[in-house]
């Protein structure tokens, strides 16, 4: 006699079965289903309207029901793209040292409208952005200390470019920080245009 092993459904990060209390059968009320999906998605962190609309669509919620509920969630402040963008910019700029260009790309991928994103990005001033870049370079200086100056410059400028910093700012900061620690060698005549981030 063989015993069939019952496969347990995947669980979310809180150990819950994601659809344990979600009735998605043919008689389920689409609005109730959509409300449950939205509340579940908003547990733990904020999300953009676009992300939530995509989730509802992937679960088969009719567009009109999704739009109506998302409008209601915006009215009561549970969905707020402007607040999301401000928080995202502050956290990613402070935590990851991302420049405005990289932050704008991330917000676009999250579905935040350009005008809303621009307002959030205006809160990052040039001095803060430059200081973040300097911190990133200083944190990596030890890992390039065995390299000659040209290779160290390439590596550090490339790292800043991936964080969305312009090549002119990246080269200026890297040269300044390498000078400060006395890394000799090379002529620093690298092609700044090579380090413009793609996108």
């Amino acid at each position: 006699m063989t015993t069939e092993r019952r496969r347990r459904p995947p669980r979310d990060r809180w150990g819950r079965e994601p659809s344990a209390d979600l009735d998605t059968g043919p008689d389920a009320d689409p609005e109730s289903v959509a409300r449950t999906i939205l509340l579940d998605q908003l547990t733990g962190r904020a999300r953009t309207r676009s992300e939530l609309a995509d989730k509802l669509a992937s679960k088969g919620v009719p567009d009109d029901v999704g739009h109506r509920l998302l409008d209601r969630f915006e009215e009561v402040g549970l969905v707020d793209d402007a607040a999301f963008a401000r928080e995202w910019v502050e956290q990613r700029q402070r935590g990851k040292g991302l420049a405005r260009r990289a932050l704008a790309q991330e917000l676009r991928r999250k579905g935040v409208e350009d005008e809303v994103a621009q307002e959030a990005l205006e809160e990052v001033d040039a001095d803060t952005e430059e200081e973040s870049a300097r911190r990133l370079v200083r944190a990596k200086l030890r890992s390039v200390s065995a390299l000659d100056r040209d290779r160290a410059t390439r590596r550090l400028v490339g790292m800043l470019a991936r964080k969305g910093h312009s090549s002119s700012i990246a080269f200026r900061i890297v040269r300044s920080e390498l000078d400060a620690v006395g890394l000799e060698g090379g002529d620093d005549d690298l092609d700044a245009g090579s380090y413009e981030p793609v996108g």
Side-chain angles (χ1 to χ4, degrees):
M1 187 170 165
T2 57
T3 307
E4 271 189 37
R5 211 166 172 192
R6 236 178 64 159
R7 224 173 128 203
R8 295 179 70 185
R11 295 179 178 270
D12 66 12
R13 62 180 168 223
W14 297 281
R16 300 175 308 188
E17 294 178 9
S19 58
D21 58 349
L22 185 60
D23 177 13
T24 56
D27 297 330
D29 172 34
E31 189 163 321
S32 177
V33 169
R35 187 177 293 109
T36 302
I37 291 168
L38 290 175
L39 291 172
D40 187 52
Q41 286 296 297
L42 291 168
T43 301
R45 77 171 182 89
R47 295 184 192 273
T48 65
R49 180 179 176 122
S50 177
E51 288 177 307
L52 293 169
D54 289 347
K55 188 64 165 181
L56 292 176
S58 76
K59 297 288 188 181
V61 173
D63 285 347
D64 61 326
V65 172
H67 290 310
R68 188 170 64 249
L69 271 177
L70 285 167
D71 287 346
R72 180 67 184 133
F73 273 53
E74 278 185 333
E75 285 171 20
V76 298
L78 291 173
V79 176
D80 184 343
D81 280 4
F84 175 92
R86 285 191 303 273
E87 185 179 337
W88 184 267
V89 164
E90 196 273 329
Q91 288 178 353
R92 300 286 286 170
Q93 203 278 323
R94 182 171 34 93
K96 298 286 185 183
L98 298 184
R100 282 174 278 207
R101 182 175 12 201
L103 292 165
Q105 289 173 351
E106 288 190 347
L107 290 173
R108 196 170 296 119
R109 282 194 294 270
K110 294 277 182 190
V112 176
E113 292 179 9
D114 288 343
E115 186 178 309
V116 173
Q118 195 54 47
E119 286 178 21
L121 291 168
E122 285 172 6
E123 296 183 19
V124 179
D125 64 29
D127 291 339
T128 302
E129 195 170 65
E130 182 170 327
E131 187 51 41
S132 293
R134 286 191 183 280
R135 277 197 310 273
L136 288 168
V137 170
R138 289 173 188 153
K140 293 286 184 185
L141 282 175
R142 181 174 291 211
S143 70
V144 299
S145 61
L147 303 176
D148 63 59
R149 187 173 173 114
D150 284 350
R151 288 180 65 203
T153 300
R154 281 189 198 96
R155 190 166 293 178
L156 294 170
V157 168
M159 180 261 301
L160 289 180
R162 289 188 296 277
K163 301 284 188 177
H165 296 277
S166 73
S167 58
S168 59
I169 289 172
F171 270 94
R172 181 171 51 78
I173 289 170
V174 168
R175 286 178 178 145
S176 165
E177 294 300 321
L178 291 178
D179 287 345
V181 296
L183 185 59
E184 303 277 331
D187 58 11
D188 272 351
D189 288 333
L190 301 175
D191 178 12
S194 304
Y195 292 93
E196 287 292 346
V198 177

